Amino acid sequence: MQNTDHEFRSRCSIARSLELLGDRWTLLIVRDLMWHGKHTFQELQTSEERMPTNQLSQRLKRLIHWGLVTREAYQDRPVRYRYELTGKGRALEPLLLQIMRWGHENLDGGLYDPVQKTTVSAGRC
């Protein structure tokens, strides 16, 4: 389903997907929500990539806007939110697995097994 208030630069599905997911941080947020049990802003800040807080806030808002993530308040004062992937967000798992495999095979990156929740080879993913 398309977000009708956004004007894409291209009709190409790859270009459109990259407009939403192609920056350096967005898929790392999806990874942490999906595989690493990080569901609060504070937990997401603890990732080893050390995403700047303004970038994290901006990316979460974009993921919510596009229906990949939901948020629910779990504390009132100050208001704090818990973030969860939607079905649309969880549908990115095969993409994450392929990117991880490619990085492992071509860049000697870490390999993570989301089923076993363990790192299979050096580096954390």
Side-chain angles (χ1 to χ4, degrees):
M1 176 180 231
Q2 182 179 332
N3 188 332
T4 56
D5 65 342
H6 182 80
E7 191 170 320
F8 287 102
R9 291 179 261 178
S10 172
R11 292 182 313 161
C12 172
S13 294
I14 294 171
R16 287 180 175 213
S17 297
L18 288 172
E19 242 180 269
L20 174 59
L21 304 169
D23 65 83
R24 134 183 224 178
W25 303 113
T26 301
L27 288 177
L28 296 175
I29 294 169
V30 173
R31 172 204 67 187
D32 285 349
L33 289 169
M34 187 174 301
W35 294 337
H36 299 305
K38 296 180 179 187
H39 295 284
T40 66
F41 194 89
Q42 292 75 19
E43 290 170 342
L44 290 163
Q45 283 181 296
T46 65
S47 295
E48 75 177 61
E49 293 84 11
R50 305 220 185 272
M51 184 185 314
T53 56
N54 63 323
Q55 295 292 321
L56 176 56
S57 177
Q58 182 183 53
R59 296 313 186 275
L60 284 168
K61 286 176 186 171
R62 183 170 25 166
L63 288 166
I64 291 166
H65 178 77
W66 282 92
L68 280 79
V69 170
T70 60
R71 75 175 188 173
E72 185 176 322
Y74 70 89
Q75 177 179 309
D76 289 329
R77 292 184 187 180
V79 177
R80 296 208 171 142
Y81 296 97
R82 178 174 175 78
Y83 299 92
E84 294 285 343
L85 289 171
T86 63
K88 192 173 175 182
R90 286 189 301 278
L92 292 168
E93 187 169 30
L95 174 68
L96 288 178
L97 289 167
Q98 286 298 323
I99 291 171
M100 180 176 53
R101 280 189 199 103
W102 187 91
H104 176 67
E105 293 169 6
N106 295 283
L107 304 172
D108 200 27
L111 192 61
Y112 179 77
D113 181 343
V115 175
Q116 299 296 322
K117 298 194 181 299
T118 58
T119 300
V120 177
S121 66
R124 183 173 189 269
C125 206

